[in-house]
Amino acid sequence: MTSHITIGAAHWVYLAGVAIIVVTMILRANVVVPSIVATLLVTLAWSHSPVTAVGSVFNASFTAAKELFNIFLVIALMTALLNALKVLRSDIRMVEPFRAVMKNGHAAYFVLAAITYVISLFFWPTPAVPLVSAVLLPAAIAAGLPPLAGAMAIAIAGQGMALSSDYVIGVAPGISAKAAGAAVNVAMVADRALVLSLITGSIALLLAYISIRKSIVPPSNSLLDRWQAQSSNGDLARIEAEGTFDKAEIARGTSQEPLVSDAQVSKELSMIGRKRIGWSKFFAIATPLAFLCVIVLMMMSKLGYGHDLKGGEAAALVGGVAALLMVCAAFATDGLRKAMDTSADHVTEGFVFAFRAMGSVLPIAGFFFLGAGGDLAASILNVPSAQAPSLLFELIQSAQGWIPNNHFLVAFGVLVVGMITGIDGSGFAGLPLTGSLSGALAPGAGLDPATLAAVGQMGAVWTGGGTLIAWSSLIAVAGFARVPVFQIVNAVLVPVLVGLGVSTLCAVMLWS
């Protein structure tokens, strides 16, 4: 230990709390209770006040809620928009034209991956997987693509590549940056995570395609008949309750019947009534165009053109566009009077989904914010910022002599920690830990904390978000594709691990 840092009881209790949370994740148990207990004990060890310790349990979650509420709001509004589009069947119209592009299994593989990625980037994989699987997967199978290959494309592109960057909605980079420290810019974490996710995903998709390309067969409707005759696997009922998040919520819609033929698609689209068909087509075009404009504005801002989107302005723009489109879609569907009620219902449903999917992150993030020091720890402990301890940073500083001074070893160490935290099957529960660890390790290692935070984010989300862990939301993909979930895990394991290794090397070489 260095002479100028005193390691006290609070430091050891905090370190023990981190270890217990990691072990709990490995055991695939819920980490909310260990996070709450650890927050209580750390505060008690630091303040020696039972009143302050009990209050910190509330303050930790409240501080995390204040810091992350903009993320919850964006999720809620995007979900509200998608619910409004579903009423008009505009969500189906957005992807239905791509059925015609699937002339063979090779094209179908890349079309599935591309469409899943784009929709997941804006709406998360939760709604993207049911939509793509119901509308496009049957057409891909009829084109000669094996169900396993379709599941691999959807999982890698949606659960992996899109969710690991989470570039548009910004949940993952927001949590990573907040945990890494006040000096870490959310936009920088998001930008680097986007690059790393594209590197990882491109390599994984290519390697996966190489591994299955010989099993692609000529198009035939008999392939579809054979696939429909298979019973959906029983993995969902067996493992949906495991892990940190509610897998029944994440995997919702797995019992939805696929739209096998063009006639079934047409029948589904005709169910909205003749008067609404025009609005259905309009929003199927207007929605992707609106978000394309958002992406263009974001790109122009980063290149120094147009309005400079600072701080949370990019997330605010996404949320604002989603809210306006949702209101317009509700008016088009229900008319002026009834839309007042349905718009409110969509927003309520959006918040319910946001808190069911992400609510358990709050006490976990609160615990790691307690060790981050500065304003975050101060608000939890109810003390001035100058008096708040930086427990994790001081622990890292005290052990600096044992930490290898090698950029690659540190980066891969953070990646491995992220992958370990993803074992619980959530993906996002470990981001407070990888973010805090990145902020503490970066100064001594000579690396940018935003780079380490992005690397840790890759490890956590690619592992637990739905590619490498069977008890994650990957069960939704398996349910739709009617493929055993462990077969998907085995098929994507090597491609994803190779992609993560290459992207981590690139992160060090590009930004060290």
Side-chain angles (χ1 to χ4, degrees), residues 280-327:
S280 176
K281 294 178 179 179
F282 172 79
F283 282 101
I285 298 172
T287 300
L289 284 180
F291 285 112
L292 177 61
C293 291
V294 171
I295 290 292
V296 171
L297 284 174
M298 293 169 67
M299 294 296 103
M300 289 178 63
S301 173
K302 295 181 185 303
L303 295 174
Y305 299 100
H307 181 74
D308 185 15
L309 298 176
K310 298 179 180 179
E313 288 185 353
L317 184 60
V318 172
V321 169
L324 292 174
L325 283 171
M326 180 272 296
V327 171

Short mmCIF file of all heavy atoms in Angstrom, two decimals, residues 280-327:
data_model
loop_
_atom_site.label_atom_id
_atom_site.label_comp_id
_atom_site.label_asym_id
_atom_site.label_seq_id
_atom_site.Cartn_x
_atom_site.Cartn_y
_atom_site.Cartn_z
N SER A 280 -51.28 3.75 -41.91
CA SER A 280 -50.34 2.66 -41.63
C SER A 280 -49.12 2.75 -42.54
O SER A 280 -47.97 2.64 -42.09
CB SER A 280 -51.04 1.32 -41.81
OG SER A 280 -50.14 0.25 -41.64
N LYS A 281 -49.37 2.99 -43.83
CA LYS A 281 -48.26 3.12 -44.78
C LYS A 281 -47.44 4.37 -44.51
O LYS A 281 -46.21 4.37 -44.61
CB LYS A 281 -48.80 3.15 -46.21
CG LYS A 281 -49.46 1.85 -46.65
CD LYS A 281 -50.02 1.96 -48.06
CE LYS A 281 -50.67 0.65 -48.51
NZ LYS A 281 -51.24 0.75 -49.88
N PHE A 282 -48.15 5.46 -44.14
CA PHE A 282 -47.45 6.72 -43.89
C PHE A 282 -46.45 6.58 -42.74
O PHE A 282 -45.28 6.98 -42.86
CB PHE A 282 -48.46 7.81 -43.57
CG PHE A 282 -47.83 9.11 -43.11
CD1 PHE A 282 -47.28 9.98 -44.03
CD2 PHE A 282 -47.78 9.43 -41.76
CE1 PHE A 282 -46.68 11.16 -43.62
CE2 PHE A 282 -47.19 10.61 -41.34
CZ PHE A 282 -46.64 11.47 -42.26
N PHE A 283 -46.89 6.00 -41.62
CA PHE A 283 -45.99 5.90 -40.48
C PHE A 283 -44.93 4.83 -40.67
O PHE A 283 -43.86 4.90 -40.05
CB PHE A 283 -46.81 5.64 -39.20
CG PHE A 283 -47.47 6.87 -38.67
CD1 PHE A 283 -48.82 7.08 -38.90
CD2 PHE A 283 -46.76 7.83 -37.98
CE1 PHE A 283 -49.45 8.23 -38.43
CE2 PHE A 283 -47.37 8.98 -37.50
CZ PHE A 283 -48.72 9.19 -37.72
N ALA A 284 -45.19 3.86 -41.53
CA ALA A 284 -44.15 2.87 -41.86
C ALA A 284 -42.99 3.53 -42.60
O ALA A 284 -41.85 3.06 -42.52
CB ALA A 284 -44.74 1.75 -42.71
N ILE A 285 -43.28 4.62 -43.30
CA ILE A 285 -42.24 5.37 -44.01
C ILE A 285 -41.70 6.51 -43.15
O ILE A 285 -40.49 6.75 -43.06
CB ILE A 285 -42.79 5.93 -45.34
CG1 ILE A 285 -43.21 4.79 -46.25
CG2 ILE A 285 -41.75 6.80 -46.03
CD1 ILE A 285 -43.95 5.25 -47.52
N ALA A 286 -42.61 7.23 -42.48
CA ALA A 286 -42.22 8.43 -41.72
C ALA A 286 -41.34 8.09 -40.53
O ALA A 286 -40.40 8.84 -40.21
CB ALA A 286 -43.47 9.18 -41.25
N THR A 287 -41.61 6.97 -39.85
CA THR A 287 -40.84 6.63 -38.64
C THR A 287 -39.37 6.39 -38.94
O THR A 287 -38.50 7.02 -38.32
CB THR A 287 -41.47 5.41 -37.94
OG1 THR A 287 -42.82 5.71 -37.57
CG2 THR A 287 -40.67 5.05 -36.70
N PRO A 288 -39.02 5.48 -39.88
CA PRO A 288 -37.58 5.32 -40.16
C PRO A 288 -36.94 6.58 -40.74
O PRO A 288 -35.77 6.85 -40.45
CB PRO A 288 -37.55 4.16 -41.17
CG PRO A 288 -38.93 4.03 -41.70
CD PRO A 288 -39.84 4.51 -40.64
N LEU A 289 -37.69 7.36 -41.54
CA LEU A 289 -37.12 8.59 -42.07
C LEU A 289 -36.83 9.59 -40.97
O LEU A 289 -35.79 10.27 -40.98
CB LEU A 289 -38.08 9.22 -43.09
CG LEU A 289 -38.14 8.57 -44.47
CD1 LEU A 289 -39.14 9.31 -45.36
CD2 LEU A 289 -36.76 8.57 -45.13
N ALA A 290 -37.73 9.69 -39.98
CA ALA A 290 -37.52 10.62 -38.88
C ALA A 290 -36.26 10.27 -38.09
O ALA A 290 -35.44 11.14 -37.76
CB ALA A 290 -38.74 10.63 -37.96
N PHE A 291 -36.09 8.98 -37.80
CA PHE A 291 -34.92 8.58 -37.03
C PHE A 291 -33.65 8.60 -37.88
O PHE A 291 -32.55 8.78 -37.34
CB PHE A 291 -35.14 7.21 -36.39
CG PHE A 291 -36.07 7.26 -35.21
CD1 PHE A 291 -37.32 6.69 -35.27
CD2 PHE A 291 -35.69 7.91 -34.05
CE1 PHE A 291 -38.18 6.74 -34.19
CE2 PHE A 291 -36.54 7.97 -32.96
CZ PHE A 291 -37.79 7.39 -33.02
N LEU A 292 -33.79 8.43 -39.18
CA LEU A 292 -32.64 8.62 -40.05
C LEU A 292 -32.15 10.06 -39.98
O LEU A 292 -30.94 10.32 -39.92
CB LEU A 292 -33.00 8.25 -41.49
CG LEU A 292 -31.91 8.46 -42.53
CD1 LEU A 292 -30.70 7.59 -42.22
CD2 LEU A 292 -32.43 8.15 -43.94
N CYS A 293 -33.09 10.99 -39.94
CA CYS A 293 -32.73 12.40 -39.80
C CYS A 293 -32.02 12.65 -38.47
O CYS A 293 -31.08 13.45 -38.39
CB CYS A 293 -33.97 13.29 -39.90
SG CYS A 293 -34.70 13.34 -41.54
N VAL A 294 -32.48 11.98 -37.41
CA VAL A 294 -31.83 12.12 -36.11
C VAL A 294 -30.38 11.64 -36.18
O VAL A 294 -29.47 12.30 -35.67
CB VAL A 294 -32.62 11.33 -35.03
CG1 VAL A 294 -31.83 11.30 -33.73
CG2 VAL A 294 -33.98 11.97 -34.79
N ILE A 295 -30.18 10.49 -36.80
CA ILE A 295 -28.83 9.95 -36.94
C ILE A 295 -27.94 10.89 -37.74
O ILE A 295 -26.78 11.14 -37.41
CB ILE A 295 -28.86 8.56 -37.60
CG1 ILE A 295 -29.48 7.54 -36.64
CG2 ILE A 295 -27.48 8.12 -38.01
CD1 ILE A 295 -28.63 7.25 -35.43
N VAL A 296 -28.49 11.46 -38.82
CA VAL A 296 -27.73 12.40 -39.64
C VAL A 296 -27.33 13.62 -38.83
O VAL A 296 -26.18 14.09 -38.88
CB VAL A 296 -28.54 12.81 -40.89
CG1 VAL A 296 -27.85 13.96 -41.63
CG2 VAL A 296 -28.71 11.62 -41.83
N LEU A 297 -28.27 14.14 -38.05
CA LEU A 297 -27.96 15.29 -37.19
C LEU A 297 -26.87 14.95 -36.18
O LEU A 297 -25.98 15.76 -35.91
CB LEU A 297 -29.22 15.76 -36.47
CG LEU A 297 -30.24 16.55 -37.30
CD1 LEU A 297 -31.50 16.82 -36.48
CD2 LEU A 297 -29.63 17.86 -37.79
N MET A 298 -26.94 13.76 -35.60
CA MET A 298 -25.93 13.34 -34.63
C MET A 298 -24.56 13.22 -35.29
O MET A 298 -23.54 13.65 -34.72
CB MET A 298 -26.34 12.01 -33.99
CG MET A 298 -27.59 12.11 -33.11
SD MET A 298 -28.25 10.50 -32.61
CE MET A 298 -26.95 9.90 -31.54
N MET A 299 -24.53 12.67 -36.48
CA MET A 299 -23.27 12.53 -37.20
C MET A 299 -22.70 13.90 -37.59
O MET A 299 -21.50 14.15 -37.46
CB MET A 299 -23.46 11.66 -38.44
CG MET A 299 -23.81 10.20 -38.17
SD MET A 299 -22.50 9.31 -37.31
CE MET A 299 -23.16 9.28 -35.65
N MET A 300 -23.57 14.78 -38.08
CA MET A 300 -23.12 16.12 -38.46
C MET A 300 -22.59 16.88 -37.25
O MET A 300 -21.59 17.62 -37.36
CB MET A 300 -24.27 16.89 -39.11
CG MET A 300 -24.68 16.40 -40.48
SD MET A 300 -26.09 17.31 -41.17
CE MET A 300 -25.39 18.96 -41.28
N SER A 301 -23.24 16.70 -36.10
CA SER A 301 -22.77 17.37 -34.89
C SER A 301 -21.37 16.91 -34.52
O SER A 301 -20.52 17.71 -34.13
CB SER A 301 -23.75 17.09 -33.75
OG SER A 301 -23.25 17.58 -32.52
N LYS A 302 -21.12 15.61 -34.65
CA LYS A 302 -19.80 15.09 -34.31
C LYS A 302 -18.73 15.54 -35.30
O LYS A 302 -17.55 15.61 -34.95
CB LYS A 302 -19.85 13.56 -34.23
CG LYS A 302 -20.75 13.06 -33.10
CD LYS A 302 -20.76 11.55 -33.03
CE LYS A 302 -21.77 11.08 -31.98
NZ LYS A 302 -21.50 11.64 -30.65
N LEU A 303 -19.15 15.85 -36.53
CA LEU A 303 -18.20 16.32 -37.54
C LEU A 303 -18.04 17.84 -37.51
O LEU A 303 -17.30 18.40 -38.32
CB LEU A 303 -18.66 15.88 -38.93
CG LEU A 303 -18.67 14.35 -39.17
CD1 LEU A 303 -19.29 14.03 -40.53
CD2 LEU A 303 -17.25 13.79 -39.08
N GLY A 304 -18.78 18.49 -36.61
CA GLY A 304 -18.64 19.94 -36.46
C GLY A 304 -19.59 20.76 -37.29
O GLY A 304 -19.40 21.97 -37.43
N TYR A 305 -20.62 20.13 -37.84
CA TYR A 305 -21.59 20.86 -38.66
C TYR A 305 -22.93 20.96 -37.91
O TYR A 305 -23.30 20.06 -37.16
CB TYR A 305 -21.80 20.17 -40.00
CG TYR A 305 -20.56 20.05 -40.85
CD1 TYR A 305 -19.84 18.86 -40.90
CD2 TYR A 305 -20.10 21.14 -41.58
CE1 TYR A 305 -18.69 18.76 -41.67
CE2 TYR A 305 -18.96 21.05 -42.36
CZ TYR A 305 -18.25 19.85 -42.40
OH TYR A 305 -17.11 19.75 -43.15
N GLY A 306 -23.64 22.03 -38.17
CA GLY A 306 -24.98 22.18 -37.61
C GLY A 306 -24.96 22.40 -36.11
O GLY A 306 -23.97 22.86 -35.52
N HIS A 307 -26.07 22.04 -35.47
CA HIS A 307 -26.24 22.25 -34.04
C HIS A 307 -25.34 21.29 -33.25
O HIS A 307 -25.26 20.11 -33.54
CB HIS A 307 -27.70 22.02 -33.65
CG HIS A 307 -27.98 22.24 -32.19
ND1 HIS A 307 -28.05 23.50 -31.63
CD2 HIS A 307 -28.22 21.37 -31.18
CE1 HIS A 307 -28.31 23.39 -30.34
NE2 HIS A 307 -28.42 22.10 -30.04
N ASP A 308 -24.67 21.83 -32.24
CA ASP A 308 -23.79 21.03 -31.40
C ASP A 308 -24.61 20.34 -30.33
O ASP A 308 -25.13 20.98 -29.40
CB ASP A 308 -22.71 21.92 -30.77
CG ASP A 308 -21.68 21.10 -29.99
OD1 ASP A 308 -21.65 19.88 -30.18
OD2 ASP A 308 -20.93 21.70 -29.20
N LEU A 309 -24.77 19.02 -30.43
CA LEU A 309 -25.56 18.26 -29.45
C LEU A 309 -24.68 17.94 -28.25
O LEU A 309 -23.82 17.07 -28.31
CB LEU A 309 -26.08 16.97 -30.09
CG LEU A 309 -27.04 17.16 -31.27
CD1 LEU A 309 -27.40 15.81 -31.87
CD2 LEU A 309 -28.29 17.90 -30.83
N LYS A 310 -24.89 18.66 -27.15
CA LYS A 310 -24.08 18.49 -25.96
C LYS A 310 -24.83 17.68 -24.91
O LYS A 310 -26.05 17.71 -24.84
CB LYS A 310 -23.70 19.86 -25.37
CG LYS A 310 -22.85 20.71 -26.30
CD LYS A 310 -22.55 22.06 -25.67
CE LYS A 310 -21.70 22.93 -26.59
NZ LYS A 310 -21.41 24.25 -26.01
N GLY A 311 -24.03 16.99 -24.07
CA GLY A 311 -24.62 16.29 -22.94
C GLY A 311 -25.70 15.31 -23.37
O GLY A 311 -25.50 14.43 -24.19
N GLY A 312 -26.89 15.49 -22.79
CA GLY A 312 -27.99 14.58 -23.08
C GLY A 312 -28.89 15.06 -24.19
O GLY A 312 -30.02 14.55 -24.33
N GLU A 313 -28.44 16.01 -25.01
CA GLU A 313 -29.30 16.55 -26.07
C GLU A 313 -29.63 15.51 -27.13
O GLU A 313 -30.72 15.53 -27.70
CB GLU A 313 -28.64 17.77 -26.71
CG GLU A 313 -28.63 19.01 -25.80
CD GLU A 313 -28.07 20.23 -26.52
OE1 GLU A 313 -27.58 20.07 -27.66
OE2 GLU A 313 -28.12 21.32 -25.94
N ALA A 314 -28.70 14.60 -27.40
CA ALA A 314 -28.96 13.57 -28.40
C ALA A 314 -30.08 12.64 -27.93
O ALA A 314 -31.00 12.32 -28.67
CB ALA A 314 -27.69 12.77 -28.69
N ALA A 315 -30.00 12.23 -26.65
CA ALA A 315 -31.06 11.38 -26.10
C ALA A 315 -32.38 12.14 -26.06
O ALA A 315 -33.44 11.57 -26.32
CB ALA A 315 -30.67 10.91 -24.70
N ALA A 316 -32.32 13.42 -25.73
CA ALA A 316 -33.54 14.24 -25.70
C ALA A 316 -34.16 14.33 -27.08
O ALA A 316 -35.39 14.30 -27.23
CB ALA A 316 -33.22 15.63 -25.16
N LEU A 317 -33.33 14.44 -28.12
CA LEU A 317 -33.83 14.52 -29.49
C LEU A 317 -34.52 13.21 -29.88
O LEU A 317 -35.61 13.21 -30.47
CB LEU A 317 -32.68 14.82 -30.45
CG LEU A 317 -33.03 15.03 -31.92
CD1 LEU A 317 -33.98 16.21 -32.08
CD2 LEU A 317 -31.76 15.26 -32.74
N VAL A 318 -33.90 12.08 -29.54
CA VAL A 318 -34.50 10.78 -29.83
C VAL A 318 -35.84 10.64 -29.11
O VAL A 318 -36.86 10.23 -29.69
CB VAL A 318 -33.55 9.64 -29.42
CG1 VAL A 318 -34.25 8.28 -29.53
CG2 VAL A 318 -32.30 9.65 -30.29
N GLY A 319 -35.85 10.97 -27.81
CA GLY A 319 -37.08 10.86 -27.04
C GLY A 319 -38.16 11.80 -27.53
O GLY A 319 -39.35 11.43 -27.58
N GLY A 320 -37.79 13.01 -27.90
CA GLY A 320 -38.77 13.97 -28.40
C GLY A 320 -39.39 13.53 -29.71
O GLY A 320 -40.62 13.64 -29.90
N VAL A 321 -38.57 13.03 -30.62
CA VAL A 321 -39.09 12.53 -31.90
C VAL A 321 -40.04 11.36 -31.66
O VAL A 321 -41.12 11.27 -32.27
CB VAL A 321 -37.93 12.12 -32.83
CG1 VAL A 321 -38.45 11.36 -34.04
CG2 VAL A 321 -37.15 13.35 -33.28
N ALA A 322 -39.65 10.46 -30.75
CA ALA A 322 -40.50 9.30 -30.45
C ALA A 322 -41.84 9.73 -29.88
O ALA A 322 -42.90 9.20 -30.26
CB ALA A 322 -39.78 8.38 -29.46
N ALA A 323 -41.82 10.71 -28.97
CA ALA A 323 -43.07 11.18 -28.35
C ALA A 323 -44.00 11.81 -29.38
O ALA A 323 -45.21 11.55 -29.40
CB ALA A 323 -42.75 12.16 -27.23
N LEU A 324 -43.44 12.65 -30.26
CA LEU A 324 -44.27 13.32 -31.26
C LEU A 324 -44.86 12.32 -32.27
O LEU A 324 -46.03 12.41 -32.64
CB LEU A 324 -43.44 14.38 -31.99
CG LEU A 324 -43.02 15.58 -31.13
CD1 LEU A 324 -42.09 16.50 -31.91
CD2 LEU A 324 -44.25 16.36 -30.67
N LEU A 325 -44.04 11.37 -32.70
CA LEU A 325 -44.55 10.35 -33.62
C LEU A 325 -45.62 9.50 -32.96
O LEU A 325 -46.63 9.14 -33.60
CB LEU A 325 -43.40 9.45 -34.08
CG LEU A 325 -42.45 10.03 -35.14
CD1 LEU A 325 -41.25 9.12 -35.33
CD2 LEU A 325 -43.17 10.24 -36.47
N MET A 326 -45.44 9.19 -31.67
CA MET A 326 -46.43 8.40 -30.96
C MET A 326 -47.77 9.12 -30.89
O MET A 326 -48.83 8.54 -31.14
CB MET A 326 -45.92 8.09 -29.55
CG MET A 326 -46.87 7.26 -28.69
SD MET A 326 -48.07 8.26 -27.76
CE MET A 326 -46.96 9.16 -26.68
N VAL A 327 -47.73 10.42 -30.55
CA VAL A 327 -48.96 11.20 -30.47
C VAL A 327 -49.65 11.27 -31.83
O VAL A 327 -50.87 11.09 -31.95
CB VAL A 327 -48.66 12.61 -29.93
CG1 VAL A 327 -49.90 13.50 -30.04
CG2 VAL A 327 -48.21 12.53 -28.48
#
